[in-house]
Amino acid sequence: MLNRIAQDQLPLSAGLTWFDALTDEEQRAAMNELHLYVHQSHPTPTMVQQAVATAPIKRGATPLALLRAFPFHIALPKIISLRADERRNAFAALLTLFRIADTQRRITSCQDGCSHDWHHLPPCRKPRGPAKGIITCAIILSLHYQRYLTTKHISARAKSDRRCTFGL
């Protein structure tokens, strides 16, 4: 889900809908995973400021205030540890930052191709019938993510499910 949003295969709103449907424990796990993704995307101060300016939350929201007040490496753990009532805003802010940083990384570091399997996701296909492709893809991803969270060991299949390399 996170990589699909970063790669514009799904809108940010689908990610927020997915996040809202998770349990408290699943939201914390999703935030921890997003923390790793954002950290690995190596956002620059310019990217952080762009995320602060474009995140779909109120400008005074705590996660944005933290990103404005502290260097990224200090703000990130503070954002991850925010209270549950701030978690949705934190998710939106960090997902916006991840989208910006990962897009830039794909343009610069991976422009001639790369071996990052998360940069080679199959597209979400629209199903036949009345269902909407984005919603169906988000539901399928949510179900697979929940199954991933319930496993104690990350098997090869769980890893592929987590990266959404299953057929949609």
Side-chain angles (χ1 to χ4, degrees):
M1 175 66 79
L2 303 176
N3 281 305
R4 288 191 182 280
I5 292 167
Q7 295 174 36
D8 290 323
Q9 289 186 10
L10 291 174
L12 183 63
S13 60
L16 293 173
T17 300
W18 168 79
F19 186 78
D20 290 340
L22 298 176
T23 66
D24 185 64
E25 181 181 334
E26 291 168 337
Q27 284 185 353
R28 281 184 275 141
M31 288 296 294
N32 285 331
E33 189 163 344
L34 181 55
H35 166 267
L36 296 173
Y37 287 16
V38 172
H39 180 73
Q40 288 298 313
S41 66
H42 306 290
T44 64
T46 302
M47 292 175 200
V48 171
Q49 292 312 310
Q50 185 181 358
V52 167
T54 61
I57 56 178
K58 291 181 182 179
R59 299 295 152 233
T62 304
L64 299 182
L66 290 169
L67 286 170
R68 280 191 298 270
F70 297 100
F72 173 72
H73 71 281
I74 294 172
L76 184 59
K78 291 178 181 294
I79 293 169
I80 295 300
S81 64
L82 288 171
R83 299 181 321 256
D85 63 334
E86 290 279 1
R87 202 175 290 144
R88 185 180 200 274
N89 284 341
F91 183 78
L94 292 181
L95 195 50
T96 300
L97 178 56
F98 176 54
R99 175 182 249 171
I100 292 166
D102 190 62
T103 298
Q104 186 62 34
R105 192 166 186 192
R106 285 191 321 273
I107 291 169
T108 56
S109 302
C110 301
Q111 68 182 353
D112 295 324
C114 67
S115 61
H116 302 128
D117 56 350
W118 56 90
H119 287 164
H120 303 283
L121 298 175
C124 286
R125 293 190 317 239
K126 291 188 179 183
R128 289 176 229 159
K132 301 288 185 203
I134 289 172
I135 295 169
T136 302
C137 185
I139 291 168
I140 291 169
L141 287 168
S142 181
L143 293 172
H144 281 272
Y145 187 71
Q146 288 173 5
R147 185 177 70 202
Y148 164 73
L149 288 174
T150 61
T151 60
K152 293 186 181 185
H153 304 303
I154 302 176
S155 66
R157 176 151 174 83
K159 284 182 183 177
S160 83
D161 287 350
R162 189 168 144 226
R163 291 188 306 255
C164 192
T165 57
F166 47 87
L168 293 175

